[in-house]
Amino acid sequence: MSSAERIDWIDFGKGLTVLMVVFGHVVLGLFESNRFESSETALLFIVQVFYLFHIPVFFALSGFFFKPILDLKCYFKYMKYKTIALGIPYIFYSIVQFILQSIGGSTVRNPASFSELLGIFHTPLGVSWYLYVLWWIYATLGVLTLWIKNHNYLLTVTIIAYGVSMIVPVKIYIVQKLLLWSFFFILGYWLRKSELTKFLEKHWKLIVSSTVLVIAIFMLFWELSKPDFYISYDTPGLLGLIFPISVFLAFASYPIMNRTNKFGSYFRRLGKDSIIIYLLHAPIVSVTRIFLLKLGIDNVFLHICIGLCAGWFGSTLVIYLTSKIPYSDFVFYPVKYLKK
C-alpha cells in the first residue's frame, strides 16, 4: 500500500466515521429528549452500536500519522501549531453553542451558562470535548516521546493507562480522558508503524466477519442486561474492552470500501473537512429536533431522517460555502492563513 493510498483511505475513514457521529447524535438527542418513550429501547440500542464505533475510530485515525517529538524546541513549535489549529475551532464552536443554547432557552436539554462558557479551558462544552482532549493528547504524548520513541513501548504505556481508566477511574476530568483515549490515538499510530494495516487489509474478510461477530455477541448480552444508558465515554469500566474491536474493524474495512468509485470519492472529499461537519452538525441537529417538536411532529422515523439530512447536508453546505468565500474557513483552518 503506497503512502498516497493510505492518506486516501484515512480521508475516506474520517468522512464515513463523521457520518456515523452525526447519526449517533441524532438518535441520542431523541433518546435523551424523553419524548419517545415507546421507542426508547430501540433508540438506546442504536446509540450504543454507533457509540461503540465512532469516537474510538476517530481517535485512532487522528493518531495514524503521529510522530515522536525530537527535542524540546520541536515540541514547543509543535504545540504552538496544535494550539492554533485546535484552539480556534474549539473557541468558535463553544461560542456558537452558547449563543444557540441561550436563544433556545428552556427548550434546550443541557443549556450552558455564561460561567460555563468562560470555563471551557478546563471543561469543554458539547462535542468540542474531542478537540479539547485531542489537544491534551498531543501535549502529553509529545512530552512522553521526548524519552520514548519506540511505538511498541508507547502502546504498552497507553494500554496500562487504558486499564487504569477502566478499573480505577480518576475523578479529574482531563486526566481520566487522557488515560482512556490516548490508547486509541496510539493504537492508530502503532497500526501504521507495525505495518499491521497491511495484514488487516489482506485478511479483511476474516477480520471484518470476526469483529462483527464479537460486537454482535456483545450487543446481545448488553441488551439482555437491560441497560438504561450507553457505555460511558468517561468511565466505561470493563465494558470498555469492546471499544478497540471497532478500531480493527474500521482499519480492515475502510481501505477496501475506499476503493469503490463514487462512494469512496464522496467520503474521501468530505473526510478532508470532517472537522467542519463534526463541529457544525451538533447545533444543526439540536435546532432541527426542537423545531420538529414545536411543529408537533412526534414520529421517531421522521425525526431520524430529517435530523440526519439536516445535520449532514447543512454541514456540507457550509463546506461548499467556505470553499467559495475567501477566508471564511479561518475558524476551522486558522493555520492555513497564519502561514501566509
Side-chain angles (χ1 to χ4, degrees), residues 88-189:
I88 291 179
Y90 176 74
I91 294 172
F92 167 75
Y93 168 84
S94 301
I95 294 172
V96 169
Q97 173 161 313
F98 171 75
I99 292 173
L100 289 176
Q101 288 186 334
S102 298
I103 294 172
S106 60
T107 61
V108 178
R109 286 180 294 120
N110 300 301
S113 65
F114 186 68
S115 62
E116 287 176 314
L117 176 62
L118 295 179
I120 61 172
F121 300 102
H122 58 77
T123 306
L125 298 179
V127 300
S128 67
W129 74 267
Y130 175 82
L131 297 184
Y132 182 78
V133 173
L134 187 59
W135 184 90
W136 275 102
I137 287 175
Y138 282 124
T140 305
L141 293 180
V143 170
L144 185 62
T145 58
L146 292 174
W147 292 276
I148 303 176
K149 309 291 185 185
N150 185 280
H151 60 281
N152 291 316
Y153 294 159
L154 287 171
L155 182 68
T156 301
V157 170
T158 56
I159 287 175
I160 294 171
Y162 187 51
V164 170
S165 74
M166 290 188 292
I167 299 171
V168 283
V170 180
K171 292 183 179 180
I172 301 173
Y173 176 87
I174 191 55
V175 174
Q176 175 65 8
K177 288 285 192 181
L178 280 172
L179 292 172
L180 180 59
W181 296 111
S182 293
F183 163 66
F184 293 92
F185 183 89
I186 288 298
L187 180 58
Y189 167 68

Side-chain angles (χ1 to χ4, degrees), residues 18-310:
V18 80
L19 174 62
M20 297 180 192
V21 170
V22 177
F23 184 80
H25 283 155
V26 169
V27 180
L28 178 62
L30 298 177
F31 174 76
E32 291 188 331
S33 71
N34 296 317
R35 298 287 292 270
F36 304 91
E37 292 185 7
S38 62
S39 303
E40 280 190 352
T41 300
L43 289 172
L44 181 57
F45 184 87
I46 295 170
V47 167
Q48 184 58 83
V49 169
F50 282 87
Y51 272 64
L52 285 182
F53 194 89
H54 53 52
I55 293 301
V57 172
F58 242 131
F59 273 112
L61 292 172
S62 296
F64 191 80
F65 293 111
F66 177 70
K67 294 180 180 179
I69 309 300
L70 295 177
D71 51 43
L72 272 178
K73 182 180 179 180
C74 292
Y75 175 77
F76 288 120
K77 182 179 179 181
Y78 173 78
M79 285 313 301
K80 178 183 177 182
Y81 173 89
K82 293 299 181 185
T83 299
I84 295 170
L86 296 174
I88 291 179
Y90 176 74
I91 294 172
F92 167 75
Y93 168 84
S94 301
I95 294 172
V96 169
Q97 173 161 313
F98 171 75
I99 292 173
L100 289 176
Q101 288 186 334
S102 298
I103 294 172
S106 60
T107 61
V108 178
R109 286 180 294 120
N110 300 301
S113 65
F114 186 68
S115 62
E116 287 176 314
L117 176 62
L118 295 179
I120 61 172
F121 300 102
H122 58 77
T123 306
L125 298 179
V127 300
S128 67
W129 74 267
Y130 175 82
L131 297 184
Y132 182 78
V133 173
L134 187 59
W135 184 90
W136 275 102
I137 287 175
Y138 282 124
T140 305
L141 293 180
V143 170
L144 185 62
T145 58
L146 292 174
W147 292 276
I148 303 176
K149 309 291 185 185
N150 185 280
H151 60 281
N152 291 316
Y153 294 159
L154 287 171
L155 182 68
T156 301
V157 170
T158 56
I159 287 175
I160 294 171
Y162 187 51
V164 170
S165 74
M166 290 188 292
I167 299 171
V168 283
V170 180
K171 292 183 179 180
I172 301 173
Y173 176 87
I174 191 55
V175 174
Q176 175 65 8
K177 288 285 192 181
L178 280 172
L179 292 172
L180 180 59
W181 296 111
S182 293
F183 163 66
F184 293 92
F185 183 89
I186 288 298
L187 180 58
Y189 167 68
W190 180 81
L191 286 171
R192 176 177 66 87
K193 289 293 292 183
S194 65
E195 298 190 345
L196 192 60
T197 49
K198 294 180 179 179
F199 174 85
L200 295 176
E201 182 179 351
K202 182 178 179 181
H203 302 281
W204 70 270
K205 291 182 180 179
L206 173 63
I207 303 300
V208 170
S209 59
S210 57
T211 51
V212 168
L213 178 61
V214 171
I215 291 173
I217 294 172
F218 172 85
M219 287 302 302
L220 175 62
F221 282 97
W222 179 83
E223 183 66 20
L224 291 174
S225 70
K226 299 184 185 302
D228 55 13
F229 208 65
Y230 65 90
I231 300 172
S232 171
Y233 273 176
D234 294 312
T235 53
L238 291 178
L239 292 177
L241 290 171
I242 192 65
F243 288 150
I245 303 297
S246 298
V247 176
F248 289 97
L249 171 59
F251 276 55
S253 59
Y254 282 175
I256 306 303
M257 297 167 71
N258 174 55
R259 294 173 185 169
T260 57
N261 293 330
K262 292 183 178 180
F263 183 74
S265 62
Y266 178 74
F267 285 106
R268 277 197 304 273
R269 175 170 57 83
L270 292 176
K272 296 174 183 177
D273 293 305
S274 59
I275 186 174
I276 297 179
I277 301 173
Y278 181 82
L279 291 178
L280 293 185
H281 85 274
I284 294 173
V285 164
S286 180
V287 169
T288 302
R289 182 181 63 255
I290 293 170
F291 179 71
L292 292 176
L293 289 173
K294 283 186 175 293
L295 289 177
I297 297 175
D298 57 4
N299 183 287
V300 69
F301 181 74
L302 278 178
H303 268 271
I304 291 175
C305 292
I306 296 173
L308 178 60
C309 289

